[in-house]
Amino acid sequence: MQAEPRKSLVGEEYEVEVGPVAHGGHCIARTSEGQVLFVRHALPGERVVARVTEGEQGARFLRADAVTVLDASKDRIDEPCPFAGPGRCGGCDWQHAKPGAQRRLKADVIAEQLQHLAGLTPEEAGWDGTVLPAEGDKVPAGQVPAWRTRVQYAVTADGRAGLRRHRSHEVEPIDHCMIAAEGVSELGIEKRAWTGMDSVEAIAATGSQDRQVILTPKPGARLPLVELDRPVSVLRVDERSGGVHRVHGRPFVRERADGRTHRVGNGGFWQVHPKAADTLVTAVMQGLLPRKGDMALDLYCGVGLFAGALADRVGDQGAVLGIESGKRAVEDARHNLADFDRVRIEQGKVESVLPRTGIEEVDLIVLDPPRAGAGRKTVEHLASLGARRIAYVACDPAALARDLGYFRDGGYRVRTLRAFDLFPMTHHVECVAILEPATKGL
């Protein structure tokens, strides 16, 4: 006998007191019956009417939007962007909060994840509890820093560019993205038709005039003739293989950081905030304090940002090994670091390649893993190498906290942690943790 289908609660409304912020761009509330709600567009301490957007009777929690604010927080402002708000563009989580409040919310999330997943207080993590704005991003309430140098636009059936709604494939057509960097906005992606395209990604490199558009066509569609207001290279995503191919112009952009130019090919990964790469390199190098002659690892090394910074500082008697899974990123890293004789870049997954190297001891380690983190097995291997210091760069506080717990089990403690608001208006935050052997100085 089949169970009765659960009743959908989408559209139901509840008047609730909003509780603490949670990881993911929402706050936690409970209905009078005790049902947990994850509420977007709300702030802690507010009283709101929350409308359910996902969930069914008996679910562990429901997702909801605050559609009416009955008692507002002192940190609330009107969303500067006309496309933000319940049911609209899902790109920004905190448009309704003052800039300083956004950073406090992110700090609360980091602190909660550290405590919950690693058993660490801010003091035990060497963290002062603040999230620092990037240079130039400390703007008054009601203003929005234009920082995003890479924007992926979705395309409606009639060819209009827009952005996805939260947890949806539906497209919110827009005529301007307020957080898009000037170099992206000047391409005018929103002002022309993209008939037959599934998505259009716009890239404006930092420190160069390189601009790039990457087109993902719908099956069977022909590419449009791309004539924009300024020189731009055009790439396309193959609908079958997912590979990225040049249509015209360069297949790469040149990004500038740490006094070096880095080639980033075929839409490869680079930090999206124009100040992010330099901010993170500075934090990592200040934490590691490389010495001449050091042996260092750069894991998940991308196009070689940290490997190049390490090579500069360890000198001709030092050595750096980078490991990266992406084939094109490895090609770019080898190109970018070709003038360093003692830098080697290996392709493959870190957990597979590192054991094959035979390396049993290193001085320094940098790891900048994907959002899921490095994981227990990789952390255990790294902890066995006896590094003097380890720098962990993390874009997800939960993954960072889990891995810090694994490092503690492997005999490492957190010396310092710094947090940077490199994604204003969103819930995302970047952290740099510096670890050292727990026995140091004992």
Side-chain angles (χ1 to χ4, degrees):
M1 184 174 179
Q2 288 188 334
E4 289 279 335
R6 289 182 175 181
K7 177 187 174 185
S8 171
L9 296 177
V10 173
E12 294 288 323
E13 295 186 353
Y14 301 92
E15 186 175 315
V16 294
E17 297 277 357
V18 180
V21 64
H23 184 32
H26 50 256
C27 298
I28 298 174
R30 289 182 182 270
T31 68
S32 57
E33 292 80 25
Q35 173 68 63
V36 175
L37 301 179
F38 287 172
V39 186
R40 283 173 57 82
H41 310 289
L43 293 172
E46 292 187 326
R47 188 162 189 82
V48 304
V49 175
R51 180 181 298 155
V52 177
T53 57
E54 288 182 49
E56 55 191 19
Q57 212 166 39
R60 190 165 58 90
F61 63 85
L62 308 175
R63 297 185 184 275
D65 284 343
V67 294
T68 303
V69 179
L70 304 174
D71 295 312
S73 165
K74 62 180 176 56
D75 290 324
R76 177 174 284 276
I77 59 172
D78 292 332
E79 293 97 337
C81 176
F83 307 107
R88 305 294 301 279
C89 171
C92 292
D93 307 292
W94 300 119
Q95 288 255 355
H96 57 289
K98 295 176 181 177
Q102 294 181 35
R103 293 191 288 273
R104 290 194 297 274
L105 291 168
K106 296 181 187 192
D108 288 346
V109 168
I110 296 169
E112 192 277 332
Q113 295 296 303
L114 286 174
Q115 181 62 58
H116 178 62
L117 296 173
L120 292 171
T121 66
E123 293 76 15
E124 289 169 333
W127 179 42
D128 64 5
T130 63
V131 174
L132 302 172
E135 182 183 341
D137 279 354
K138 200 168 184 179
V139 298
Q143 293 186 21
V144 176
W147 57 270
R148 194 173 186 93
T149 61
R150 294 170 177 235
V151 178
Q152 185 165 30
Y153 299 87
V155 179
T156 64
D158 59 356
R160 294 186 63 190
L163 298 169
R164 301 278 184 195
R165 292 169 182 161
H166 181 61
R167 292 177 62 85
S168 172
H169 293 293
E170 293 184 18
V171 181
E172 179 75 20
I174 64 172
D175 56 29
H176 176 65
C177 176
M178 294 187 75
I179 65 172
E182 181 181 356
V184 169
S185 295
E186 66 188 7
L187 292 175
I189 301 297
E190 306 96 333
K191 296 178 174 59
R192 61 164 292 164
W194 298 98
T195 306
M197 296 300 102
D198 189 61
S199 67
V200 179
E201 184 175 4
I203 297 174
T206 300
S208 77
Q209 292 300 306
D210 291 354
R211 303 291 182 265
Q212 194 171 80
V213 170
I214 304 175
L215 304 175
T216 303
K218 297 181 186 298
R222 297 181 62 182
L223 293 182
L225 178 64
V226 180
E227 294 179 339
L228 299 174
D229 295 337
R230 58 175 301 127
V232 60
S233 61
V234 178
L235 310 179
R236 69 173 177 86
V237 178
D238 186 277
E239 62 193 60
R240 288 192 282 277
S241 70
V244 183
H245 308 286
R246 183 178 71 90
V247 177
H248 67 73
R250 294 191 185 98
F252 59 85
V253 294
R254 295 164 297 181
E255 300 278 4
R256 188 82 181 156
D258 195 39
R260 298 177 56 81
T261 297
H262 302 76
R263 187 182 79 182
V264 184
N266 288 9
F269 175 78
W270 187 262
Q271 291 286 342
V272 294
H273 194 294
K275 300 292 184 181
D278 277 324
T279 297
L280 295 174
V281 167
T282 298
V284 167
M285 295 303 127
Q286 286 178 346
L288 291 182
L289 298 176
R291 302 169 185 168
K292 298 296 183 183
D294 275 344
M295 166 59 192
L297 297 177
D298 179 13
L299 308 180
Y300 317 92
C301 71
V303 300
L305 173 65
F306 295 115
L310 286 165
D312 265 337
R313 291 157 176 83
V314 303
D316 294 339
Q317 300 306 308
V320 180
L321 171 65
I323 301 176
E324 165 61 37
S325 62
K327 180 179 178 181
R328 181 56 199 251
V330 167
E331 292 173 1
D332 287 336
R334 289 170 177 166
H335 170 87
N336 295 333
L337 305 173
D339 52 342
F340 293 109
D341 293 335
R342 292 180 59 78
V343 173
R344 188 168 97 249
I345 307 296
E346 296 288 345
Q347 183 189 351
K349 294 183 177 180
V350 169
E351 61 269 28
S352 300
V353 174
L354 188 57
R356 295 202 305 263
T357 64
I359 293 173
E360 297 181 353
E361 186 176 355
V362 296
D363 299 299
L364 303 173
I365 299 172
V366 179
L367 66 157
D368 185 4
R371 191 168 302 279
R376 183 186 294 273
K377 182 178 178 182
T378 296
V379 168
E380 288 175 348
H381 189 153
L382 298 181
S384 73
L385 299 178
R388 183 173 74 246
R389 287 193 181 177
I390 298 172
Y392 190 128
V393 182
C395 61
D396 185 273
L400 171 66
R402 282 193 296 269
D403 284 348
L404 291 183
Y406 300 149
F407 271 113
R408 179 189 55 219
D409 295 343
Y412 276 78
R413 67 183 179 192
V414 185
R415 177 183 175 88
T416 62
L417 186 146
R418 300 175 71 186
F420 302 96
D421 190 14
L422 302 181
F423 310 89
M425 303 293 154
T426 80
H427 74 271
H428 300 289
V429 63
E430 200 85 14
C431 296
V432 176
I434 304 298
L435 298 98
E436 64 182 8
T439 55
K440 184 178 175 68
L442 296 181

